[in-house]
Amino acid sequence: MYQQDRGYRTNEPIRKAFMHSCLGKIVILGIFLLIALCVAYFTTPTEKEMLVEMDDNIIECLQANDSIKGDPIDDYVNNLGSIFTVSDSTQISEEVMKAYRMYNKLEAYRHTFYATARLVNNMHPEGVRVGVGVFGLIIPTVIYKDILLDVGPVHKGYNQKIIQPTVPDTDLGSNPNIQEFHYKRNPDD
């Protein structure tokens, strides 16, 4: 009738008790994280794969930009579709492709667990990220406004003669409505 108090001991197996403890949950989470990092390390796209796939995705972005853009959501939706499709470069005019190749440079970097692609041009001399590769999948993040297709003169008329102002230089004292203003220090300061 009277049961003896067993203290901290229970009849559950050690494996089950370990899985229900805080330390056990942390160890299990660490093992899953280690496995995910190993898979990410071995499935990271190479720089060559990144360059080929991102060039294709940028061509798709140029190809899809045949209408007026309402907002950046159009580019993001197009990028999701670009993950699993291939571009048709015959739909883009030769001038646009020539301008893209002339003014933009695509660079790829392989990091430990992922890879990135950057588009370098005059607007973004340090480069803007246009793609991420992780777990063997290359995800484009390219936006049309980051692609440089036209370069115009920065300083139009640079190094020309200085044009004289058309407003005549008048003495302030000759016009009674205009008064000189002198900045004076506040004596309270």
Side-chain angles (χ1 to χ4, degrees), residues 7-49:
Y8 65 90
R9 295 184 177 247
T10 60
N11 288 335
E12 69 181 342
I14 294 175
R15 179 184 59 84
K16 190 172 184 181
F18 179 73
M19 290 177 61
H20 289 290
S21 70
C22 184
L23 177 64
K25 291 178 183 178
I26 290 173
V27 168
I28 292 170
L29 180 66
I31 290 171
F32 281 132
L33 185 63
L34 184 66
I35 291 170
L37 289 176
C38 287
V39 170
Y41 178 76
F42 290 112
T43 60
T44 300
T46 63
E47 292 169 353
K48 184 178 179 183
E49 290 172 343

Side-chain angles (χ1 to χ4, degrees), residues 95-106 119-124 146-152:
E95 294 84 27
V96 171
M97 284 301 295
K98 185 178 176 183
Y100 164 67
R101 301 274 186 231
M102 183 183 305
Y103 300 125
N104 299 285
K105 179 183 174 189
L106 191 61
L119 189 66
V120 179
N121 53 33
N122 286 350
M123 289 189 309
H124 306 286
D146 292 333
I147 303 170
L148 184 63
L149 297 175
D150 185 28
V151 176

Side-chain angles (χ1 to χ4, degrees), residues 52-73:
V52 170
E53 186 66 29
M54 283 311 305
D55 193 47
D56 181 63
N57 291 331
I58 290 174
I59 291 172
E60 283 190 48
C61 182
L62 290 171
Q63 181 179 334
N65 193 45
D66 57 356
S67 62
I68 297 173
K69 296 287 188 173
D71 52 18
I73 299 295

